[in-house]
Amino acid sequence: MSKQMKGILLAAGGASLWGGSGAAAQYLFEQTSITTPWLVAVRLLLAGIVLTMVSLLKMPQQVRRIVSHRRHLVSLISFALLGTLNSQLTYFLAVKYSNAPTATVIQYLQPVIIIIWLAIAQRQWPRRIDCISIIIALIGTFLLVTGGHLGTLALTPAAIFWGLWCAVAAALYTLLPRPLLTNFDALAVCGLAMLLSGLGMLPEIIIYRLPSLNLLEWILVAYIVVFGTMFSYTMFLQSMRYISPAVTGILSAFEPLVATFLAVTLLGTKLTGAAIIGSVLILLTTVLQSIPSNYYQRILFFTNHHKPKN
């Protein structure tokens, strides 16, 4: 197997496991009394413990440097609370109040939020392709939220609120760890962030009575922790050793595709035509942002130098 094919399979597999965790969470919220904070607490704490232990075995010096240096520790805590915990909690709340496909797709507004934030921070207009991405994303969001009908909402206000907050949290999850990732391995940074987030949610595990679940439901909880968090993250991270970030960005679209397939086929989730079109448009913005800028420059160069002469 070639390195490129190995990278593609790892990226697509990791994104698919993420999508499966969304569908598993939707089933648990619909069929059991399990609470969102409890599920997030268990997911982050257990995954954080395992990933941090792996980091301690593979790169103990990096872990010590992160927690012993004040500036790095402050950055880690900010990333853990505003990035990791924020994104996990709001995503599962969006799933609870809507469904896995909708929550996962709205989360993919993240590139648009980053574009707007960087434009404001850097005080410069976005690129042409960025402006096109924003317009496409707004149209897609309108179709998803309204079902294509002015004056009506296809989603509840709670679903819209948590979905949009989830997109903002995903943007923070991308932007906040940049200073840390320039100096430390991503496995150590994310493992510690998950561990801190889980410890912050520990009272939820202690106070909340253990839910009464059957075997299948406990298996789904285990899947969310093991496959939907630890395996999915490590597979996606490993894929970047073999393929470019642009390709991994495009392959991340497997997450909403798998979440949608499982929710529709196994959970009976209904999606309107407008919602499907809106979802495709939002995912298209991710694909556009994943394509390197020099590709667009080559297209413009080719177009400008091959115009018909009058």
Side-chain angles (χ1 to χ4, degrees):
M1 182 185 298
S2 67
K3 289 185 177 181
Q4 184 176 15
M5 179 56 65
K6 186 175 182 179
I8 290 172
L9 291 176
L10 285 169
S16 298
L17 292 176
W18 271 326
S21 70
Q26 179 181 333
Y27 177 88
L28 291 171
F29 293 144
E30 290 177 350
Q31 303 297 326
T32 73
S33 60
I34 198 170
T35 67
T36 307
W38 184 88
L39 183 59
V40 171
V42 170
R43 180 186 197 184
L44 289 175
L45 186 61
L46 295 181
I49 290 172
V50 173
L51 293 179
T52 300
M53 288 177 62
V54 172
S55 300
L56 283 170
L57 291 173
K58 295 180 64 176
M59 54 199 87
Q61 293 183 347
Q62 287 205 20
V63 176
R64 288 195 214 98
R65 282 175 56 205
I66 294 174
V67 299
S68 61
H69 194 288
R70 181 177 178 182
R71 180 168 58 88
H72 295 327
L73 184 59
V74 170
S75 297
L76 177 67
I77 294 173
S78 298
F79 172 51
L81 298 180
L82 300 178
T84 305
L85 178 58
N86 193 15
S87 62
Q88 296 284 336
L89 188 57
T90 54
Y91 172 71
F92 276 138
L93 285 168
V95 171
K96 179 178 181 178
Y97 288 105
S98 58
N99 51 62
T102 301
T104 307
V105 167
I106 294 179
Q107 181 182 244
Y108 275 73
L109 289 171
Q110 163 205 349
V112 175
I113 295 171
I114 293 177
I115 290 169
I116 296 172
W117 166 252
L118 292 178
I120 295 172
Q122 298 173 358
R123 297 182 180 179
Q124 66 181 56
W125 284 99
R127 301 171 303 164
R128 184 184 303 177
I129 189 62
D130 293 336
C131 295
I132 294 173
S133 296
I134 292 172
I135 294 171
I136 292 174
L138 290 175
I139 296 172
T141 304
F142 167 79
L143 292 173
L144 191 63
V145 169
T146 66
H149 302 288
L150 286 171
T152 61
L153 289 177
L155 301 176
T156 65
I160 297 171
F161 174 79
W162 289 115
L164 293 177
W165 190 346
C166 172
V168 173
L172 290 172
Y173 184 87
T174 301
L175 294 171
L176 287 174
R178 284 185 174 185
L180 290 170
L181 293 176
T182 57
N183 298 297
F184 303 103
D185 189 274
L187 184 65
V189 173
C190 292
L192 286 170
M194 287 184 182
L195 179 60
L196 287 177
S197 302
L199 290 174
M201 296 288 289
L202 189 58
E204 186 67 28
I205 299 177
I206 296 173
I207 297 172
Y208 180 68
R209 189 177 63 182
L210 196 67
S212 177
L213 306 177
N214 59 35
L215 178 60
L216 171 62
E217 291 157 355
W218 279 116
I219 290 174
L220 291 178
V221 172
Y223 170 85
I224 291 172
V225 174
V226 178
F227 294 97
T229 306
M230 291 185 293
F231 279 19
S232 61
Y233 166 75
T234 52
M235 288 173 65
F236 208 75
L237 187 65
Q238 286 293 323
S239 72
M240 295 182 185
R241 298 175 57 186
Y242 306 107
I243 55 179
S244 68
V247 177
T248 59
I250 294 172
L251 291 173
S252 67
F254 271 88
E255 180 184 359
L257 292 176
V258 170
T260 301
F261 175 79
L262 294 176
V264 171
T265 56
L266 299 181
L267 305 181
T269 302
K270 305 293 184 183
L271 294 176
T272 64
I276 294 173
I277 295 172
S279 300
V280 171
L281 290 175
I282 292 174
L283 294 178
L284 179 59
T285 63
T286 300
V287 175
L288 292 175
Q289 289 300 305
S290 298
I291 299 175
S293 59
N294 59 356
Y295 178 80
Y296 297 113
Q297 292 171 0
R298 289 199 298 270
I299 293 177
L300 291 174
F301 178 85
F302 180 86
T303 304
N304 292 333
H305 286 74
H306 292 79
K307 286 181 179 178
K309 293 180 174 61
N310 296 326

